[in-house]
C-alpha cells in the first residue's frame, strides 16, 4: 500500500484531537484534505501507519490534495481579485465548527462553503457577529453546513464541550488556558471566580489542583459540570451556579483566577479569599495608554483596602481586544 494513499479513520468528534496527535507523531499529511469516510467517521491523511495515535482503522484512500488556501478555492469559483481583498485572512476551527468574521465580505455564504471544503473535519461554519452584554453572550449566524453549533474542542488534552451559539469561546486565549496548568501545583486550592464552561478550571484540575468554580449563567454552568465529567476531574471541581461574590470560601485558597474583563469589580472578594502569600490572576481589557497603571493599580488598591500588600509576579498581553485596547493579565502575590 502506498504511503501517499493512506488515511486513518476516526470518529468525527475525535478528529481535531487525532489530527493534533498525528502531527505530534509526525505522520500527518497536511498536503491532502480531510474528508468524510462514512456518516460517523472521517478519513485523516497520513504518511505512515500511526503507532501512538488511537484510530479505528487505516485504509487506502485517494484523498484529494489540499488546495493552497481560501483565496484559491474562491478564485476557482470565479471570484474577482477586488472581492478577494475583502475575504477574511483568518478564522478558527473549534471542534467541528469554523468560526469566522465576515463583516464587509461579499457573498459570505460562499465563503462558508469554501471553508467547509478547506476543513473536512468541520461540518458547520458560523459567522461571529459580536458579544452581547456583561454576560458575554455570543451572536452568531450559520453560514454553511449542518448548522450544528454544539461541539467538543480539544486543546492540549483538555476537552471542552460547548454550544457556540450559547457560550463564548475565544481561540486566542489558548496559550493562557494551557499556561494555567503549568502555574498550579498538585493539591493547590484554587478559586475560579468566572469559570464559564471551565476555560481555566479544567486544565488546572487536570494538573491536580482542587478548584472551587463559580459560574452564574445557567448554560455555561451546565457545560462546566459536564466538562468536569468529560475530563475525569469531577472529584477535583466544586462547581457553584452563583455570582462569585456570593460564594462562601470557608478556607482561604492558594490561588484566585479572575478571567472576566469586568473582574476588577470583584477584587475585594478575591483578596479576601486568598491566603497570605496566595496568587491572584486578574484579566482585564485595558486601553493601551493605561498599561500597566490601571490593572496593577486596581490590584494594589484592593490589597490596600484589606490591609495587605502586593508583589507583581508577571504582567502580559494575551491578545488585542479592540482598537487601542488589550486583553491583559496581571499575576500578583498578596502577602
Amino acid at each position: 500500500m502506498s504511503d501517499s494513499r493512506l488515511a486513518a479513520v476516526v470518529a468525527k468528534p475525535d478528529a481535531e484531537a487525532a489530527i493534533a496527535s498525528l502531527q505530534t507523531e509526525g505522520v500527518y499529511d497536511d498536503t491532502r484534505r480531510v474528508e468524510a469516510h462514512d456518516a460517523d467517521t472521517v478519513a485523516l491523511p497520513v504518511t505512515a501507519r500511526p503507532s501512538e495515535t488511537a484510530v479505528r482503522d487505516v485504509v487506502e484512500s485517494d484523498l484529494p490534495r489540499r488546495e493552497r488556501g481560501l483565496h484559491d478555492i474562491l478564485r476557482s469559483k470565479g471570484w474577482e481579485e477586488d472581492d478577494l481583498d475583502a475575504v477574511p485572512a483568518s478564522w478558527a476551527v473549534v471542534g467541528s465548527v469554523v468560526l469566522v468574521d465576515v463583516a464587509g465580505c461579499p457573498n459570505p455564504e460562499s465563503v462558508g462553503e469554501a471553508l467547509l471544503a478547506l476543513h473536512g473535519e468541520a461540518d458547520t461554519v458560523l459567522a461571529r457577529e459580536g458579544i452581547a452584554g456583561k454576560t458575554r453572550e455570543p451572536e452568531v449566524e450559520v453560514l454553511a453546513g449542518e448548522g450544528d453549533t454544539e461541539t467538543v474542542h480539544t486543546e492540549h488534552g483538555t476537552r471542552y464541550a460547548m454550544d457556540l451559539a450559547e457560550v463564548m469561546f475565544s481561540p486566542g486565549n489558548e496559550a493562557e488556558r494551557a499556561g494555567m496548568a503549568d502555574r498550579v501545583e498538585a493539591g493547590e486550592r484554587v478559586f475560579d471566580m468566572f469559570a464559564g464552561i471551565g476555560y481555566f478550571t479544567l486544565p488546572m484540575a487536570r494538573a491536580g489542583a482542587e478548584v472551587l468554580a463559580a459560574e452564574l449563567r445557567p448554560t455555561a454552568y451546565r457545560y462546566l459540570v459536564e466538562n468536569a465529567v468529560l475530563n475525569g476531574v469531577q472529584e477535583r471541581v466544586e462547581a457553584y451556579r452563583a455570582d462569585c461574590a456570593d460564594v462562601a470560601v470557608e478556607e482561604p485558597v492558594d490561588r484566585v483566577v479572575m478571567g472576566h474583563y469586568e473582574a476588577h469589580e470583584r477584587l475585594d472578594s478575591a483578596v479576601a479569599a486568598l491566603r497570605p502569600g496566595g496568587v491572584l490572576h486578574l484579566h482585564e481589557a485595558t486601553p493601551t495608554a493605561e498599561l500597566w497603571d490601571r490593572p496593577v493599580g486596581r490590584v494594589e488598591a484592593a490589597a490596600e483596602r484589606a490591609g495587605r500588600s502586593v508583589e507583581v509576579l508577571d504582567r502580559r498581553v494575551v491578545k488585542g481586544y479592540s482598537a487601542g485596547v488589550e486583553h491583559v493579565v496581571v499575576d500578583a502575590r498578596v502577602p
Side-chain angles (χ1 to χ4, degrees):
M1 187 183 299
S2 169
D3 287 352
S4 64
R5 300 182 65 188
L6 289 179
V9 178
V10 301
K12 197 164 191 177
D14 299 333
E16 186 182 29
I19 290 172
S21 178
L22 292 167
Q23 288 171 331
T24 300
E25 193 175 339
V27 297
Y28 185 69
D29 182 0
D30 60 10
T31 68
R32 292 183 292 148
R33 283 170 39 186
V34 176
E35 290 200 340
H37 183 65
D38 58 30
D40 301 315
T41 63
V42 291
L44 309 179
V46 292
T47 58
R49 286 182 174 273
S51 58
E52 302 170 12
T53 303
V55 301
R56 290 191 178 184
D57 198 4
V58 177
V59 299
E60 188 171 1
S61 179
D62 290 323
L63 294 175
R65 295 192 66 80
R66 187 182 293 276
E67 298 192 53
R68 288 172 294 171
L70 181 59
H71 278 206
D72 300 285
I73 295 174
L74 293 173
R75 193 176 285 113
S76 71
K77 295 179 179 295
W79 279 51
E80 301 292 338
E81 294 300 319
D82 288 346
D83 289 335
L84 289 172
D85 290 339
V87 170
S90 63
W91 51 89
V93 181
V94 180
S96 59
V97 177
V98 180
L99 290 175
V100 63
D101 182 352
V102 290
C105 179
N107 197 350
E109 291 79 10
S110 181
V111 172
E113 294 294 343
L115 286 169
L116 282 182
L118 194 61
H119 296 284
E121 68 273 30
D123 56 29
T124 297
V125 178
L126 294 181
R128 291 186 286 198
E129 299 181 342
I131 300 293
K134 277 195 171 184
T135 56
R136 300 188 60 73
E137 302 290 341
E139 296 179 342
V140 298
E141 178 185 354
V142 176
L143 284 184
E146 297 178 6
D148 186 358
T149 58
E150 194 167 27
T151 190
V152 177
H153 174 65
T154 304
E155 283 182 355
H156 305 277
T158 300
R159 303 183 74 193
Y160 297 93
M162 70 194 89
D163 186 336
L164 289 164
E166 299 288 340
V167 300
M168 183 196 71
F169 190 84
S170 176
N173 294 353
E174 178 179 353
E176 192 64 27
R177 286 189 289 269
M180 289 310 301
D182 298 326
R183 294 182 180 98
V184 300
E185 295 182 4
E188 271 195 20
R189 297 186 67 251
V190 182
F191 184 16
D192 188 351
M193 298 182 75
F194 304 89
I197 64 170
Y199 309 109
F200 301 115
T201 289
L202 297 172
M204 291 189 297
R206 291 184 66 240
E210 304 288 334
V211 186
L212 176 67
E215 175 52 46
L216 183 59
R217 296 165 297 164
T219 302
Y221 174 79
R222 175 169 62 84
Y223 280 112
L224 168 64
V225 174
E226 290 180 7
N227 283 330
V229 175
L230 181 64
N231 286 274
V233 295
Q234 64 270 28
E235 299 300 322
R236 292 197 292 275
V237 176
E238 186 177 352
Y240 288 87
R241 188 188 157 220
D243 186 308
C244 55
D246 297 331
V247 175
V249 182
E250 297 180 357
E251 181 181 345
V253 298
D254 302 299
R255 191 179 302 269
V256 173
V257 180
M258 308 184 74
H260 190 286
Y261 292 139
E262 301 295 331
H264 64 273
E265 297 178 356
R266 297 291 187 266
L267 269 168
D268 289 344
S269 297
V271 172
L274 270 178
R275 66 165 176 80
V279 176
L280 174 73
H281 304 275
L282 173 68
H283 290 242
E284 186 181 288
T286 306
T288 305
E290 297 186 57
L291 292 177
W292 288 90
D293 293 342
R294 191 174 84 172
V296 172
R298 282 172 164 167
V299 175
E300 291 174 338
E304 184 177 355
R305 288 193 293 271
R308 299 169 71 171
S309 59
V310 168
E311 175 193 356
V312 176
L313 303 176
D314 191 19
R315 54 191 194 181
R316 56 191 174 277
V317 174
V318 176
K319 65 180 188 302
Y321 174 72
S322 62
V325 180
E326 307 289 350
H327 172 185
V328 305
V329 182
V330 174
D331 299 337
R333 190 181 309 281
V334 182

